[in-house]
């Protein structure tokens, strides 16, 4: 762990409000992006991202400083996402349309945005549709495959970091990643 | 359920090894010898070549996903939740009770109480003021010497 991380952890353990703000500012976008891709729903993703920081702050005394702070943060995020997926599955919550609606709305507003260069409408819609198709495909991957695709191909984490986050051996991560990519490709072939 | 036979588990292990190799190949992290070995196999096996193309296509598709920034209010919401759940005591230097385990506080308190009890028990006055046995007692004359109102 770096000296800067060590110092940040020390301040967090002393309940330093400024340290907490620094932690959130540094990691919020990546944590949110991870929860969004794992859950496929903006409201759920925001809720879980908030819980990640609350849990990290609450349990900072149990952090053993063997891994990087960001690795630990990701581990907490992945575990909370898995719990939420299970919870949503139990509730038979199939409402994953919110992201799609907001993507389409974002694409439409991008087309209509005054001032900037006017994008070709067919291209802008294509982008939103690609996003929609991919997100739906990711959301239907099984949980273990989803984690690996999100961490490696979207969040761009190294295999070593993924092993530390998931507690899986190197060979298993690579083999499952291969299967996850194939499964994803199968789901999107007819669209992309 | 019957256990997998040795040849079955060998085949599974071999499949996993190949999958891991393919992952390393697309990531560009295979050693030169392994790369040559895999490329020779790819030349012989069209199904494997197709898998490789599929994997590359999946990776390329995933690269097209936008990074979505967190909502502006996320940080503020987190702080508010922490304050609300902790009744406003979460931030700031931790109280003595948070830093020292309750058991230690209890033991110290019990020892202090015991010491106080012993002190009071040994005092003939029943107060914390100890009566010194060798202290000179005032003579009756001395009492008379005190002016009375």
């Amino acid at each position: 762990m770096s000296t800067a991380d060590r110092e940040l952890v020390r301040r967090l353990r002393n309940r330093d409000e400024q340290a907490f703000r620094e932690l959130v500012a540094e990691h919020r976008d990546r944590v949110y992006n991870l929860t969004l891709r794992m859950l496929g729903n903006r409201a759920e993703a925001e809720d879980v991202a908030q819980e990640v920081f609350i849990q990290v702050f609450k349990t900072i005394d149990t952090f053993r400083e063997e891994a990087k702070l960001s690795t630990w943060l990701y581990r907490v995020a992945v575990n909370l996402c898995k719990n939420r997926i299970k919870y949503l599955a139990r509730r038979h919550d199939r409402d994953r349309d919110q992201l799609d609606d907001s993507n389409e709305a974002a694409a439409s507003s991008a087309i209509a945005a005054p001032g900037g260069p006017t994008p070709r409408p067919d291209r802008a819609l294509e982008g939103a549709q690609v996003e929609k198709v991919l997100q739906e495909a990711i959301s239907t991957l099984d949980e273990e495959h989803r984690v690996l695709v999100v961490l490696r191909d979207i969040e761009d984490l190294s295999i070593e970091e993924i092993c530390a986050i998931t507690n899986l051996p190197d060979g298993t991560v690579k083999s499952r990643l291969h299967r996850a990519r194939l499964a994803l490709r199968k789901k999107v072939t007819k669209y992309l | 359920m019957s256990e997998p036979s040795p040849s079955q588990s060998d085949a599974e292990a071999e499949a996993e090894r190949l999958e891991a190799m393919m992952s390393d190949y697309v990531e560009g992290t295979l050693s030169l010898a392994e790369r040559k070995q895999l490329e020779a196999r790819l030349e012989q096996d069209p199904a494997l070549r197709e898998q490789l193309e599929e994997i590359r296509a999946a990776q390329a598709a995933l690269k097209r996903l936008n990074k979505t920034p967190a909502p502006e209010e996320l940080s503020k919401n987190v702080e508010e939740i922490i304050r609300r759940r902790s009744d406003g005591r979460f931030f700031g230097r931790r109280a003595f009770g948070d830093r020292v385990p309750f058991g230690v506080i209890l033991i110290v308190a019990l020892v202090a109480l015991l010491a106080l009890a012993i002190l009071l028990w040994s005092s003939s006055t029943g107060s914390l003021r100890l009566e010194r046995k060798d202290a000179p007692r005032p003579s009756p004359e001395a009492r008379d010497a005190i002016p009375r109102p």
Side-chain angles (χ1 to χ4, degrees):
Chain A
M1 202 167 76
S2 70
T3 318
D5 267 5
R6 223 178 280 278
E7 175 59 16
L8 185 62
V9 170
R10 189 192 63 76
R11 289 167 58 209
L12 286 169
R13 285 184 173 147
N14 281 328
R15 304 286 184 259
D16 180 338
E17 195 169 346
Q18 188 53 36
F20 181 68
R21 286 197 183 120
E22 285 170 29
L23 176 85
V24 178
E26 195 180 329
H27 298 283
R28 45 179 263 170
D29 286 344
R30 294 192 78 178
V31 167
Y32 175 72
N33 203 51
L34 168 77
T35 57
L36 179 63
R37 295 305 171 203
M38 284 290 291
L39 300 167
N41 175 297
R42 282 176 193 268
E44 295 290 348
E46 189 177 344
D47 194 42
V48 172
Q50 286 173 7
E51 280 304 320
V52 170
F53 289 109
I54 291 164
Q55 181 138 337
V56 161
F57 201 46
K58 257 165 73 180
T59 57
I60 190 73
D61 290 334
T62 66
F63 175 50
R64 284 179 296 170
E65 302 188 24
E66 286 162 0
K68 284 200 301 189
L69 182 60
S70 60
T71 304
W72 186 55
L73 203 81
Y74 270 119
R75 194 182 301 156
V76 172
V78 165
N79 289 338
L80 287 177
C81 281
K82 284 181 175 180
N83 290 346
R84 186 61 62 99
I85 290 166
K86 286 192 185 92
Y87 168 75
L88 291 174
R90 275 202 302 271
R91 264 183 39 188
H92 299 288
D93 189 332
R94 306 238 181 261
D95 181 15
R96 300 200 188 280
D97 297 337
Q98 197 175 337
L99 173 70
D100 314 334
D101 294 344
S102 36
N103 275 340
E104 276 161 23
S108 310
S109 62
I111 295 163
T118 314
R120 282 179 52 186
D122 57 331
R123 290 265 170 91
L125 283 174
E126 189 192 87
Q129 281 167 344
V130 167
E131 180 113 7
K132 177 183 171 179
V133 165
L134 281 170
Q135 185 57 61
E136 272 182 7
I138 294 168
S139 298
T140 53
L141 285 177
D142 81 54
E143 197 182 290
E144 292 304 327
H145 285 170
R146 203 185 310 181
V147 171
L148 298 179
V149 161
V150 171
L151 292 179
R152 180 69 197 112
D153 291 330
I154 299 175
E155 289 303 313
D156 219 16
L157 297 187
S158 68
I159 297 287
E160 195 187 355
E161 274 179 291
I162 297 171
C163 292
I165 291 165
T166 56
N167 274 331
L168 289 171
D170 178 271
T172 308
V173 167
K174 289 174 183 172
S175 150
R176 283 192 191 169
L177 192 54
H178 177 85
R179 290 179 202 180
R181 286 166 175 161
L182 278 182
L184 185 89
R185 176 64 188 158
K186 205 173 165 186
K187 287 175 195 288
V188 299
T189 301
K190 60 179 173 184
Y191 304 105
L192 303 178
Chain B
M1 216 165 73
S2 62
E3 289 209 353
S5 64
S7 59
Q8 234 180 322
S9 18
D10 283 353
E12 276 169 27
E14 176 53 27
E16 273 193 25
R17 201 183 69 83
L18 181 63
E19 287 165 351
M21 256 179 112
M22 294 273 279
S23 273
D24 276 336
Y25 185 70
V26 293
E27 306 255 353
T29 52
L30 268 188
S31 69
L32 187 66
E34 285 176 315
R35 191 157 52 106
K36 282 187 174 168
Q37 188 194 340
L38 184 66
E39 280 169 353
R41 198 164 168 175
L42 282 166
E43 264 184 40
Q44 306 285 315
D45 190 341
L48 206 59
R49 269 204 309 275
E50 198 186 315
Q51 266 194 24
L52 186 66
E53 289 314 307
E54 298 284 281
I55 295 286
R56 284 185 168 144
Q59 276 185 306
L62 288 166
K63 291 273 175 276
R64 294 167 76 180
L65 277 176
N66 293 319
K67 296 268 183 209
T68 314
E72 275 303 308
E73 66 278 9
L74 188 127
S75 312
K76 196 167 65 81
N77 288 350
V78 173
E79 282 182 39
E80 271 172 18
I81 294 169
I82 290 176
R83 281 182 212 285
R84 198 173 59 237
R85 287 189 192 169
S86 66
D87 222 4
R89 289 169 306 194
F90 209 75
F91 291 116
R93 189 116 189 120
R94 285 180 296 173
F96 179 72
D98 294 331
R99 282 180 282 138
V100 182
F102 177 72
V104 173
I105 298 175
L106 189 69
I107 289 168
V108 169
L110 285 174
V111 168
L113 274 175
L114 194 67
L116 185 67
I118 291 169
L119 204 61
L120 289 173
W121 186 261
S122 62
S123 163
S124 59
T125 60
S127 76
L128 284 176
R129 187 184 292 172
L130 290 173
E131 190 186 2
R132 288 178 58 195
K133 284 186 180 152
D134 57 340
R137 286 174 172 267
S139 65
E141 293 83 18
R143 250 187 284 155
D144 291 341
I146 298 168
R148 293 182 185 187

